[in-house]
Amino acid sequence: MMFCHERSKKAKNIGNAVKILLAGNPNTGKSVFFNRITGIGVIISNYPGTTVELLKGKTRFNGKEIVIIDLPGTYSLGAGSMDERVARAAILEEESAIVINIVDASNLERNLYLTLQLLELQTPIVVALNMIDEARKRGIEIDHEKLSELLGVPVIPTVATRGEGIKEVVETALKVIDGKITIRPMKVQYGRDIEAIIQELEKVIKERLKTIPRNIRARTLAILLLEGDPEIVEEIKNIDSKVVEAAKRLAEKVEELHGEPASLRIAKERYGVAHSIAKAVTTRYKRKTLFRERLDTLTTNVYTGFPIMISVWVALFALLLYGGSFLEELIVFGWESYVAPIIDKGLFYIVPNEFLYHVISRGLILGLEAGLAVVVPYVTLFYIALAILEDTGYLTRMAYLMDNIMHKMGLHGRAIIPLIAGYGCNVPAVMGTRVLETRRERVLAAFLITLVPCSARTVVILGLIGQYIGLLAVLVMYTLNLAIIAVSGFFLNRIIKGETTGLVMELPPYRIPHPIPVLKKTWIRFREFVYIAFPLLIFGSLFLSALEYSGFLRPVASLMSPVVVGILGLPALTGITLFFGILRKEMTLEMLIVLFGTTDFLAIMNIHQMIVFTIVVTLYFPCIATFAVLGKELGWKTAILIAISTIILAIIIGGITNLILTYFWM
Amino acid sequence: MKAKDLGEKVEECLEILFKLEKDRERVKMTELAEKLRFPYSSMTVLLQKLSNMGLIDYEPYKGVKLTDKGKELAIKVIRRHRLSERFLTDILGFDWSEAHEHACKLEHVITNKIEEKLDEKLGKPTVCPHGNPIPTANGKIIFENDIPLSELQPAEEATITRILDENSNLLRRLVAMGILPGVKVTVKEKSPLGGALVLKIGDYEVALGHDVASKICVKTDVPPHRRRHRRRRGSRRIQ
């Protein structure tokens, strides 16, 4: 009885859960803010029909269930990008919601632009004036009471990294919802002639439209239509094209009057309002140049920036190489000596059929080991390092420095971030291409990512080239690989059709990363990887071990031998290992050991064959997990095309290397 | 052929072309048709006519460009339009926002003589009620002497004058980040390798690719002749 009562109460609470949306510019400490309120149980979901991710978290506050949704960070709320579209849609959709607008105090004017747009949408908002400590360091003091008075909504100063003010913001938001605080949002007033035009269009809207979709006010709709917001224009066109025509006519009038497009004029005036508010509440003091500002100059100047960037890369790979392999050995040792035998024994008793037992035992143990041995040490370590670099703001500087080079490949600087992530693992790197604006750029970047030697391929490079030739040769391999990526990018840029955008990216001031968001980001990426890659690893392992035990592998090898032996000059049996490599690249090494029954690779291949083998393993077919992600993100046609191209590329480069080594070397 | 003999559409077409050409080399026929609110199907006829009169240079698929003669005539129409606007607001007491529409009609019926008298009566105004410059009687129009942002060197300050927006998406992105006409910017850093630059705008910094920077026009406070030696070789000025 009691139990029943409890449950129904709980269910009711969830149904009435208060929804709080977090909106704000990128780099305003929004994610730190989000992490401060929510616990570990954060759900990432794609907004329906898009690849834009929304983070959702739950928390209890003063006995109230609260759902917090972290909207993508945007500079405005127009439908310029998918992120903005989603942010606006979410705000308009969640009727009972309240928006917490996170505003960077050291950058008030530009941040207020979004605030004004939020006010125009008539959503109840509470402003969190974040990073006031940083603003103070930069000699900026903001009168938050006056700001609150001017905007007509509560403004609470916060320092999210230290958790200051966050409780108060949530409390205030709840009070606004309960009606304990009434807000009187200011009206964003435009110039006389623009106001006249807005009113004219408002009249047309009121006359022609009975209801406005998503409960947008007539005035707001008029402004959005005058701005030519593509999404809204499309929506209204389907209801009554006359309204859109009227809007177009009036927008042209604005253009004639002011000599600039209506959208620009309105934006300008909105900035004007933001400027006067910011000016009224800001006091500036003289201050010294901060160390981080000097660091900023050092890292963006070409002469100092490139050496710094290269040092950061070297340090990152050294960390992976030594830290990663140390962890890997530890994990593999633990797995093989303690866990694997137990699973094996268990399966032996459970599975009655001997054939099935071999397949399942081998597939399951190898599949899990692959995940543990590669993913856990290398990928996790890499993600932590990447998250730290990201949160300091350094990655944006790197993107700026690399912009010119990336341009030659039809990409812009921002694409460097997923490309670097590819060195850890291609799977999340391909997902990371979402930051790029057009499909063309995403396809290009994803293709190049599949050529980046991930940690699994690094294992092969180190195991063969590093072991038998030397570390210098490893370096040569990586350089060669970079050259192949550059050349491929150069050609792909000419082949793939579509739109290219340029680099427009804020360089946030350097900040000391906060451990909680770093770990959370790593955890979220890691989890995403595990969901996609682990099932594939295990399923693929099962499939391959079935092939192996049923004796189908030899025919496969002889089928591949014209290429493997004829073109690449490798021993015929290595074809089978390449087949296994589709599953996970470092398995090619393990299969060599199994098939040839020796750990001395020199007995299997000579140095020259090792070089060819490594090149082929690095380039051919992105592993099955990457392939799955490519298909999911870009469509199966593109994924298949990319996979086939990489196989051809591997055969060509491998073949050429074979020829060169045969005829010109010794 | 004199200006007054030309049809209203012809004059309007030249006027629009003149304004559009400020931002690009050639104007596409579809865009022109849309701005003119003229059926696309009849555009070829109109353009052929203009081309025969030697006012435009028209290449199918590439677009339209005004000839010098066309430019001269376009400036004349603009002068008459803006003078009419002044006349409507200053003398007849029209409201600013109304003046434009009526001036559109008036501009086509003004003769040289009326134009002269109007100019005198209004006290030789230099700007229209909306602040746009009125071309002088001999066809001089004061252009803003702006240069692409990509030509600036580190530590140079400038004010953005316009954004060449073939791709309105770029304009939206820039505007959202506070990069729009009238905004003061400083070039903080510039890559000698290919011209990507870091821009300081108020309290924040934005990195721009070279292609983006070349679409943003700015005006520096330093006079052009003093700037010139600081610029790199091969730089180009846009009209």
Side-chain angles (χ1 to χ4, degrees):
Chain A
M1 196 61 204
M2 185 69 184
F3 181 67
C4 261
H5 182 70
E6 279 292 318
R7 265 177 76 176
S8 67
K9 204 170 144 194
K10 206 175 169 190
K12 200 180 155 206
N13 262 347
I14 290 169
N16 290 348
V18 177
K19 269 190 186 140
I20 295 182
L21 306 175
L22 299 186
N25 283 192
N27 313 312
T28 50
K30 207 159 65 71
S31 65
V32 180
F33 197 98
F34 177 76
N35 287 324
R36 277 276 174 187
I37 331 180
T38 56
I40 199 87
V42 174
I43 305 160
I44 328 176
S45 56
N46 283 8
Y47 192 79
T50 67
T51 53
V52 178
E53 285 170 350
L54 289 181
L55 293 175
K56 231 176 240 189
K58 269 185 200 156
T59 187
R60 285 187 83 80
F61 200 88
N62 294 347
K64 253 192 182 156
E65 190 95 18
I66 306 175
V67 176
I68 293 156
I69 301 168
D70 191 18
L71 301 175
T74 58
Y75 293 103
S76 78
L77 274 186
S81 68
M82 226 2 146
D83 279 357
E84 293 183 20
R85 228 175 241 233
V86 166
R88 186 171 64 194
I91 289 167
L92 289 172
E93 175 183 285
E94 306 288 356
E95 258 179 55
S96 61
I98 182 157
V99 174
I100 293 178
N101 177 206
I102 314 220
V103 165
D104 176 1
S106 59
N107 213 337
L108 189 62
E109 188 176 324
R110 198 201 62 213
N111 276 258
L112 280 179
Y113 187 77
L114 179 75
T115 310
L116 294 180
Q117 284 189 319
L118 284 169
L119 290 178
E120 282 184 325
L121 282 180
Q122 289 271 297
T123 338
I125 69 169
V126 171
V127 172
L129 190 63
N130 198 23
M131 300 202 271
I132 42 163
D133 54 336
E134 199 169 304
R136 256 177 222 143
K137 270 189 208 147
R138 299 168 110 213
I140 298 166
E141 192 74 49
I142 287 165
D143 182 348
H144 67 270
E145 280 165 12
K146 197 165 174 192
L147 181 61
S148 164
E149 213 173 280
L150 288 171
L151 292 173
V153 298
V155 175
I156 291 130
T158 60
V159 182
T161 47
R162 293 203 298 260
E164 283 169 27
I166 288 179
K167 206 175 145 206
E168 213 183 328
V169 172
V170 179
E171 240 164 30
T172 313
L174 292 177
K175 275 185 194 159
V176 172
I177 291 176
D178 292 344
K180 283 179 195 148
I181 298 178
T182 38
I183 53 172
R184 287 183 192 78
M186 69 170 284
K187 183 184 172 194
V188 182
Q189 191 81 33
Y190 295 92
R192 201 162 58 107
D193 45 338
I194 301 279
E195 278 295 335
I197 283 170
I198 292 173
Q199 274 158 29
E200 205 178 325
L201 187 56
E202 217 181 315
K203 233 169 74 192
V204 177
I205 291 167
K206 278 182 183 152
E207 273 165 21
R208 299 202 64 102
L209 299 180
K210 279 193 199 74
T211 52
I212 299 174
R214 301 197 270 181
N215 282 325
I216 304 175
R217 267 192 324 159
R219 178 184 162 85
T220 312
L221 181 65
I223 295 168
L224 287 168
L225 287 174
L226 284 173
E227 283 183 293
D229 187 287
E231 191 188 26
I232 301 289
V233 167
E234 203 50 47
E235 223 174 301
I236 301 299
K237 209 184 221 164
N238 291 332
I239 303 171
D240 188 346
S241 62
K242 286 267 162 48
V243 175
V244 174
E245 271 166 39
K248 216 172 166 189
R249 188 171 45 79
L250 288 167
E252 268 170 36
K253 196 166 159 189
V254 174
E255 189 167 353
E256 293 288 354
L257 292 179
H258 293 280
E260 56 195 352
S263 60
L264 192 57
R265 183 72 217 172
I266 290 173
K268 238 182 186 177
E269 294 200 0
R270 203 179 279 134
Y271 268 112
V273 176
H275 175 75
S276 55
I277 293 174
K279 209 176 157 195
V281 300
T282 308
T283 322
R284 282 172 189 276
Y285 301 100
K286 273 223 168 108
R287 45 103 189 192
K288 291 179 287 182
T289 308
L290 299 174
F291 169 69
R292 65 182 82 169
E293 285 164 325
R294 270 194 221 117
L295 193 63
D296 179 25
T297 310
L298 282 176
T299 47
T300 48
N301 186 292
V302 188
Y303 302 106
T304 48
F306 272 102
I308 291 174
M309 181 170 79
I310 291 165
S311 321
V312 170
W313 283 27
V314 169
L316 185 63
F317 287 115
L319 173 79
L320 276 187
L321 221 62
Y322 295 109
S325 57
F326 173 73
L327 282 175
E328 185 197 351
E329 272 167 37
L330 221 66
I331 291 169
V332 171
F333 175 77
W335 176 262
E336 282 181 350
S337 42
Y338 300 107
V339 189
I342 298 171
I343 297 178
D344 191 53
K345 277 232 174 71
L347 285 171
F348 183 76
Y349 288 115
I350 297 165
V351 184
N353 182 308
E354 198 192 339
F355 171 74
L356 266 182
Y357 154 70
H358 279 294
V359 169
I360 293 174
S361 157
R362 201 180 149 73
L364 199 67
I365 288 172
L366 275 184
L368 282 172
E369 188 184 319
L372 287 171
V374 176
V375 179
V376 176
Y378 291 101
V379 178
T380 312
L381 210 59
F382 188 81
Y383 283 163
I384 291 175
L386 202 65
I388 290 171
L389 282 181
E390 200 175 349
D391 284 8
T392 54
Y394 182 64
L395 281 188
T396 58
R397 268 79 180 177
M398 206 144 120
Y400 159 71
L401 284 176
M402 292 298 290
D403 184 58
N404 298 316
I405 297 164
M406 299 305 287
H407 235 89
K408 304 266 186 299
M409 303 188 228
L411 293 165
H412 61 70
R414 239 178 151 160
I416 193 74
I417 298 169
L419 267 174
I420 291 173
Y423 281 95
C425 173
N426 287 182
V427 173
V430 170
M431 292 192 233
T433 59
R434 285 174 189 166
V435 299
L436 302 174
E437 286 89 358
T438 64
R439 185 182 154 79
R440 175 193 142 93
E441 287 166 312
R442 295 194 62 197
V443 171
L444 254 170
F447 195 126
L448 298 182
I449 284 168
T450 61
L451 301 178
V452 172
C454 62
S455 37
R457 282 174 258 186
T458 305
V459 170
V460 178
I461 296 173
L462 287 177
L464 288 176
I465 307 284
Q467 201 75 34
Y468 293 93
I469 308 177
L471 277 176
L472 199 70
V474 172
L475 208 68
V476 173
M477 275 310 249
Y478 272 95
T479 318
L480 184 71
N481 179 266
L482 272 181
I484 292 170
I485 292 172
V487 172
S488 310
F490 183 77
F491 281 108
L492 285 172
N493 185 21
R494 263 130 232 270
I495 297 164
I496 301 177
K497 296 250 172 335
E499 217 185 322
T500 307
T501 54
L503 177 74
V504 181
M505 181 183 61
E506 188 185 356
L507 301 183
Y510 276 119
R511 282 167 192 150
I512 295 166
H514 202 258
I516 294 169
V518 165
L519 289 176
K520 221 161 188 180
K521 214 182 280 182
T522 310
W523 164 242
I524 287 171
R525 279 182 181 152
F526 176 77
R527 198 173 56 182
E528 220 169 325
F529 173 82
V530 168
Y531 283 161
I532 294 184
F534 260 70
L536 279 167
L537 282 177
I538 293 165
F539 180 76
S541 281
L542 287 172
F543 174 71
L544 277 184
S545 67
L547 271 186
E548 192 188 357
Y549 281 97
S550 55
F552 271 115
L553 275 179
R554 304 266 155 178
V556 169
S558 58
L559 214 69
M560 287 165 77
S561 84
V563 173
V564 173
V565 181
I567 298 175
L568 302 174
L570 297 172
L573 271 179
T574 51
I576 297 174
T577 66
L578 291 177
F579 201 72
F580 270 89
I582 289 173
L583 199 58
R584 28 183 276 243
K585 293 286 176 93
E586 91 291 0
M587 237 172 102
T588 49
L589 276 194
E590 284 156 32
M591 281 315 292
L592 281 179
I593 301 171
V594 173
L595 284 174
F596 291 91
T598 171
T599 50
D600 181 19
F601 295 118
L602 258 182
I604 308 167
M605 290 185 275
N606 57 33
I607 297 285
H608 147 188
Q609 285 172 321
M610 275 184 196
I611 295 172
V612 176
F613 184 77
T614 311
I615 288 174
V616 172
V617 169
T618 312
L619 297 178
Y620 89 108
F621 197 87
C623 72
I624 195 133
T626 309
F627 182 69
V629 172
L630 283 173
K632 212 179 126 218
E633 295 280 319
L634 303 168
W636 294 104
K637 218 177 113 189
T638 311
I640 291 167
L641 228 76
I642 290 177
I644 292 172
S645 311
T646 57
I647 292 172
I648 295 170
L649 188 70
I651 294 171
I652 292 172
I653 306 264
I656 291 173
T657 314
N658 180 30
L659 277 180
I660 291 173
L661 292 177
T662 312
Y663 292 104
F664 296 101
W665 196 21
M666 288 178 288
Chain B
M1 200 170 283
K2 280 179 193 158
K4 62 177 182 186
D5 300 331
L6 297 171
E8 214 172 277
K9 272 287 173 228
V10 171
E11 288 191 351
E12 216 172 296
C13 182
L14 293 177
E15 195 184 340
I16 288 167
L17 264 176
F18 186 80
K19 283 177 188 164
L20 290 177
E21 253 183 27
K22 217 171 79 174
D23 291 351
R24 69 213 84 173
E25 186 80 5
R26 273 177 187 275
V27 179
K28 290 250 159 56
M29 203 164 93
T30 40
E31 197 180 354
L32 192 59
E34 196 183 317
K35 289 264 174 193
L36 258 177
R37 279 194 226 110
F38 203 59
Y40 186 74
S41 51
S42 335
M43 275 308 281
T44 343
V45 183
L46 178 67
L47 293 181
Q48 202 58 55
K49 194 172 155 196
L50 285 167
S51 183
N52 289 342
M53 288 192 227
L55 297 173
I56 59 160
D57 170 20
Y58 167 54
E59 272 183 55
Y61 306 110
K62 273 186 148 176
V64 190
K65 198 180 150 87
L66 283 174
T67 59
D68 286 348
K69 197 177 155 197
K71 240 176 229 164
E72 207 176 286
L73 197 51
I75 290 173
K76 206 161 185 60
V77 178
I78 290 171
R79 174 172 161 81
R80 286 177 180 172
H81 176 91
R82 294 189 178 157
L83 277 176
S84 308
E85 281 187 333
R86 273 243 94 102
F87 167 68
L88 290 167
T89 53
D90 295 9
I91 297 184
L92 299 186
F94 273 72
D95 196 71
W96 275 18
S97 45
E98 292 174 293
H100 170 76
E101 245 167 84
H102 295 278
C104 276
K105 295 273 173 244
L106 210 52
E107 68 188 34
H108 303 296
V109 295
I110 291 177
T111 60
N112 283 341
K113 193 83 190 159
I114 299 179
E115 180 193 314
E116 209 177 287
K117 285 278 176 209
L118 211 53
D119 193 30
E120 234 166 71
K121 193 89 187 162
L122 289 165
K124 298 201 181 298
T126 53
V127 287
C128 81
H130 310 109
N132 299 317
I134 298 176
T136 59
N138 53 18
K140 285 266 156 59
I141 190 159
I142 304 132
F143 277 116
E144 287 190 88
N145 263 331
D146 51 6
I147 53 167
L149 175 63
S150 50
E151 306 239 316
L152 293 191
Q153 294 306 315
E156 277 196 283
E157 256 180 61
T159 307
I160 297 173
T161 50
R162 58 211 165 99
I163 293 162
L164 310 181
D165 59 330
E166 289 138 48
N167 175 353
S168 68
N169 222 351
L170 174 70
L171 183 70
R172 272 174 207 282
R173 274 168 70 207
L174 289 173
V175 167
M177 294 185 84
I179 301 172
L180 66 168
V183 170
K184 250 193 153 63
V185 296
T186 312
V187 175
K188 189 162 171 275
E189 207 61 66
K190 184 176 177 180
S191 162
L193 297 171
L197 45 82
V198 178
L199 218 54
K200 197 160 171 54
I201 309 158
D203 289 314
Y204 60 99
E205 288 172 16
V206 176
L208 295 178
H210 178 261
D211 48 343
V212 177
S214 61
K215 282 182 189 145
I216 298 171
C217 294
V218 296
K219 214 169 142 182
T220 50
D221 304 330
V222 186
H225 61 274
R226 285 195 42 209
R227 276 204 77 249
R228 195 159 293 155
H229 68 276
R230 283 161 68 181
R231 261 192 275 154
R232 276 186 302 141
R233 226 160 54 94
S235 62
R236 169 182 70 91
R237 156 162 303 186
I238 43 168
Q239 262 251 53

